[in-house]
Amino acid sequence: MRYVEFLDIDAPYSGALGRIEFDPFLAAVASLKTIDGQPMVSHWIDPKPELSIEENGATKLRNAVDASILTSVSGTDPLNKTTAINGQPTFTVNTTGALGQGDAEDVRVDEWSMIAVHDLLPTVARNDVFGIGGGLATGVELYPGLEVNITATNGDGQIISREGGTTTRRIVRNFTALAGTPCISSVTFSTDLGFSVFKNNFEGFFRDDSDKRALTDPTFTYLANRSGNSQALGDFGMAFILRADISRPEYAWARQILLGGLMSKYGITSS
């Protein structure tokens, strides 16, 4: 049996994944770097059972690339650990179950990507996979967010990112088959390119460069907004926040490693 302990990866707390069976995909993702030499992955949500515990009725989940902990919002149910997507470790959420605020200083304010594997319930209209932050509804506080709205009974919907504390959409785009089947949804941003959204391995890519405002308070919640509302329900595989706008042409190789690897791992095919 071959194992890997990511001890040779130049990233903070790079051993956080611990001693796991060797997986070329995990090793490749853990070694991705930005063009300025930083570790590309700042937050890695991995449903592996050994990375989360239930304590005092709450789920506590360790970020797979550093020592930060996400804790479920008070009053919500612990996340169910299953193998619902292609036999891979999965969080299954059919009732209220949301994790808490992430480590703010590790989210880049000027450039980021959010990527999530999911099989959403077609009956849930709004799913905040990475929720917006709180704040006053002034349109000034800006937060990262990846929201998937289901707009039709056949699972079609929209990938959206909003301003923090408001209902203003910063970008919205229609896609087919966003619910009722495993897929990958992504939002990217940088202050020189603006927003982009896509599904799976760059399908339906769309960019809107009309809004290039950097984040002012880069906090996030996983599977809900910070108040615990608009919870994402369904089955969830790996999810990532990156220190790079992966829509950039110079990151085509990283997209193939990360997105292509996720599609293979979770048995996702192009729509």
Side-chain angles (χ1 to χ4, degrees):
M1 185 71 70
R2 299 177 65 196
Y3 292 89
V4 60
E5 298 181 37
F6 295 134
L7 302 181
D8 59 341
I9 304 302
D10 184 18
Y13 304 98
S14 56
L17 280 173
R19 188 175 171 83
I20 61 175
E21 292 186 26
F22 180 78
D23 185 327
F25 169 68
L26 296 183
V29 174
S31 63
L32 291 175
K33 298 290 183 66
T34 64
I35 55 177
D36 57 357
Q38 296 185 69
M40 183 173 288
V41 180
S42 62
H43 298 79
W44 184 334
I45 306 295
D46 190 334
K48 286 185 184 300
E50 57 268 33
L51 288 177
S52 62
I53 62 171
E54 276 68 53
E55 186 175 77
N56 298 322
T59 298
K60 294 186 176 180
L61 171 63
R62 184 172 185 174
N63 183 359
V65 291
D66 69 25
S68 63
I69 301 291
L70 292 175
T71 303
S72 57
V73 175
S74 176
T76 61
D77 296 331
L79 304 181
N80 296 315
K81 300 174 186 178
T82 68
T83 55
I85 304 180
N86 200 34
Q88 297 296 320
T90 309
F91 288 133
T92 295
V93 188
N94 295 319
T95 59
T96 56
L99 287 167
Q101 181 177 334
D103 209 4
E105 63 267 22
D106 285 336
V107 181
R108 284 189 61 171
V109 298
D110 62 335
E111 183 170 347
W112 49 265
S113 297
M114 294 185 176
I115 299 169
V117 175
H118 50 69
D119 185 352
L120 298 173
L121 294 181
T123 55
V124 179
R126 175 174 168 179
N127 298 269
D128 282 11
V129 180
F130 283 113
I132 61 173
L136 300 176
T138 61
V140 176
E141 292 88 356
L142 304 176
Y143 304 80
L146 169 56
E147 176 187 330
V148 182
N149 274 9
I150 307 306
T151 58
T153 56
N154 62 359
D156 294 348
Q158 302 166 328
I159 299 176
I160 296 168
S161 196
R162 297 176 183 258
E163 296 178 3
T166 78
T167 59
T168 303
R169 293 171 168 181
R170 300 185 76 182
I171 190 170
V172 56
R173 188 67 170 175
N174 294 337
F175 290 89
T176 59
L178 284 175
T181 187
C183 67
I184 303 167
S185 58
S186 303
V187 173
T188 77
F189 172 80
S190 57
T191 50
D192 57 334
L193 296 180
F195 278 88
S196 67
V197 293
F198 53 90
K199 173 190 168 189
N200 294 340
N201 196 357
F202 226 49
E203 293 173 28
F205 175 75
F206 175 77
R207 188 186 304 282
D208 183 349
D209 62 1
S210 64
D211 190 342
K212 300 180 179 180
R213 294 171 291 173
L215 304 173
T216 54
D217 192 351
T219 59
F220 71 91
T221 298
Y222 180 55
L223 300 184
N225 61 28
R226 283 180 60 194
S227 63
N229 297 320
S230 301
Q231 295 183 355
L233 299 183
D235 301 315
F236 300 89
M238 290 184 181
F240 300 86
I241 300 179
L242 309 180
R243 294 184 175 93
D245 180 345
I246 204 171
S247 74
R248 292 180 178 278
E250 57 265 40
Y251 287 130
W253 57 275
R255 288 198 303 271
Q256 186 54 45
I257 289 173
L258 182 55
L259 302 174
L262 286 174
M263 292 183 69
S264 176
K265 187 178 188 68
Y266 292 100
I268 298 171
T269 57
S270 299
S271 58

